Amino acid sequence: MKAKIAVLPGDGIGPEVIAEGLRCLRALAERHGHELTLTELPFGGAAIDLTGNPLPRDTLEACLRADAVLLGAIGGPKWSAPEAKVRPEQGLLGLRSALGVYANLRPVRVHPALLGASTLKPEVLEGVDLVFVRELTGGIYFGEKRREPQSATDVCTYTVAEIERIVRAAARLAHKRRRKLVSIDKANVLETSRLWREVATRIVRTEFPQITLEHMLVDSAAMHLIRRPSDFDVLVTENMFGDILTDEASMLAGSLGLLPSASLGEGTRGLYEPIHGSAPDIAGRGIANPCGTLLSVALLLRHSLGLEGEAAALERAVSEAIAQGARTPDIAAKGASALSTREVGDAVLAKL
Ligand code: NAD
């Protein structure tokens, strides 16, 4: 097959982890006879330095023309001064909105060899394999904001259409997995959550009768996520609850550096990125964990290019490499020596 991929390495460790992602992507393409056009473009702080704009027009246009966008990470102290007028994050919000991606998928799998890397007890983590589907473009983050001398207001709004499309996305995913969907809300207090619950119930009952739907209050979900995480399959929730719970869930795996994400809209085009940031504390040292990026490449192959076999092969290669000790310092076993970003990339390529 032929496909165009826009590659945005970004800032800090972004270019380091993206380099490994591209090596694996090229190797897979060569092996399976796919013609991938990979175009690297400036984005985030790097683009501010070059053009004054975190999302230059050429970058945006190339992303809109592409079949998929692969992003490293953006941001860093250089562009974070409180008085800064342009910020790397504006580029990310602009890109998500231009691509129309409203569903953020974050799979969390606990690798058997890394049961000890988490702060939770190994027996709680055994068999964890869940996916969060977070609504990305609505809710309180995007509602009207007001400030009075003695008060402040943030409005939370959801439309029926916004809830329908995200619940459908989650239900479609659950249908391909263990067919268990948990919808998370705060329906005992919030009107938006009562609407969310009604719509989720109707969509699943009428369109996905094979799926078991459970509603869970967000406070209870936060507790069950660390008490019995292996019971979950797919979880769907609104923007702010998802923001908080996905960070909690990421800690089940042991390191931010391990986890991928996909942001999807209508159609197959998506934005793929590891969940971590630009990690200025370790940038330039060649020790960033590339696995979150490699697994994001696997999501890209699966969701945007329809290459399930290649996606699964890459996931297997990452898993086998980790099992055989290919680990950067963030997940290295106590007393064992750690590998560099490039060496972990080499180990995964060898498995591929
Ligand atoms: P961070 O995710 O960059 O780092 C948090 C901690 O995790 C650091 O100690 C870091 O060294 C470690 N870490 C992160 N990724 C790792 C990897 N691949 N391998 C090994 N260790 C890793 O979060 P932060 O420090 O809060 O933010 C740093 C910058 O990144 C900020 O400017 C922030 O705005 C930005 N950020 C960007 C994104 C994004 O690009 N989508 C997301 C989060 C934060």
Side-chain angles (χ1 to χ4, degrees):
M1 74 156 331
K2 282 187 183 178
K4 285 201 279 282
I5 298 169
V7 181
L8 316 178
D11 309 315
I13 61 170
E16 301 171 33
V17 290
I18 284 292
E20 300 316 310
L22 293 182
R23 286 210 298 154
C24 289
L25 202 47
R26 288 199 180 98
L28 277 167
E30 197 169 309
R31 171 112 189 244
H32 297 270
H34 304 305
E35 206 177 297
L36 300 185
T37 309
L38 306 170
T39 312
E40 289 192 42
L41 299 143
F43 183 59
I48 294 179
D49 288 351
L50 273 175
T51 68
N53 179 357
L55 177 57
R57 223 179 67 195
D58 289 352
T59 297
L60 177 60
E61 283 174 3
C63 291
L64 290 172
R65 279 195 307 270
D67 298 295
V69 180
L70 177 64
L71 166 66
I74 52 153
K78 184 174 175 193
W79 306 281
S80 301
E83 66 277 10
K85 292 218 168 57
V86 259
R87 290 170 171 278
E89 292 74 15
Q90 293 162 345
L92 195 52
L93 291 181
L95 181 62
R96 282 179 184 158
S97 118
L99 292 172
V101 289
Y102 58 81
N104 184 234
L105 270 58
R106 286 193 183 191
V108 179
R109 235 180 250 161
V110 178
H111 193 291
L114 296 179
L115 285 173
S118 170
T119 47
L120 297 185
K121 290 194 182 114
E123 60 266 30
V124 176
L125 297 168
E126 231 160 281
V128 168
D129 178 5
L130 59 86
V131 185
F132 257 98
V133 180
R134 166 190 169 196
E135 203 289 329
L136 207 53
T137 57
I140 198 165
Y141 292 177
F142 291 91
E144 187 198 341
K145 298 179 187 308
R146 276 198 313 275
R147 184 70 180 262
E148 315 283 346
Q150 296 304 320
S151 69
T153 308
D154 295 285
V155 176
C156 183
T157 306
Y158 266 106
T159 66
V160 168
E162 282 172 328
I163 304 169
E164 284 177 346
R165 67 184 186 177
I166 191 77
V167 170
R168 278 196 189 102
R172 279 197 293 267
L173 186 67
H175 193 259
K176 289 191 225 148
R177 293 173 45 98
R178 305 197 301 277
R179 300 193 174 182
K180 274 176 29 182
L181 179 61
V182 172
S183 171
I184 297 168
D185 62 37
K186 188 71 182 169
N188 51 346
V189 185
L190 299 177
E191 204 52 45
T192 41
S193 281
R194 284 191 272 272
L195 178 66
W196 184 281
R197 199 172 271 221
E198 267 172 45
V199 173
T201 303
R202 169 171 56 78
I203 293 290
V204 174
R205 192 174 290 155
T206 56
E207 298 178 27
F208 301 91
Q210 318 83 340
I211 286 177
T212 314
L213 172 69
E214 184 185 349
H215 297 286
M216 199 177 277
L217 296 173
V218 61
D219 38 349
S220 175
M223 183 266 288
H224 286 300
L225 258 180
I226 50 170
R227 202 173 72 99
R228 49 178 187 90
S230 58
D231 286 353
F232 291 99
D233 180 16
V234 179
L235 307 94
V236 63
T237 191
E238 61 97 74
N239 202 345
M240 182 168 71
F241 297 159
D243 192 5
I244 300 167
L245 292 178
T246 51
D247 261 29
E248 183 191 355
S250 73
M251 281 298 100
L252 300 170
S255 170
L256 278 179
L258 287 167
L259 295 175
S261 79
S263 299
L264 308 173
E266 300 305 334
T268 57
R269 187 177 59 203
L271 170 65
Y272 301 85
E273 55 180 319
I275 70 157
H276 60 75
S278 59
D281 54 336
I282 58 165
R285 292 169 52 196
I287 56 166
N289 192 335
C291 293
T293 301
L294 301 180
L295 296 173
S296 300
V297 168
L299 294 179
L300 182 158
L301 292 163
R302 174 173 296 126
H303 292 288
S304 284
L305 308 190
L307 299 174
E308 174 58 36
E310 287 81 339
L314 181 51
E315 287 168 347
R316 242 186 344 264
V318 170
S319 179
E320 287 171 11
I322 290 175
Q324 292 183 5
R327 301 185 197 167
T328 42
D330 55 313
I331 53 168
K334 269 207 184 84
S337 62
L339 300 190
S340 68
T341 309
R342 174 49 57 108
E343 286 167 334
V344 170
D346 288 340
V348 174
L349 272 173
K351 293 290 167 198
L352 270 183

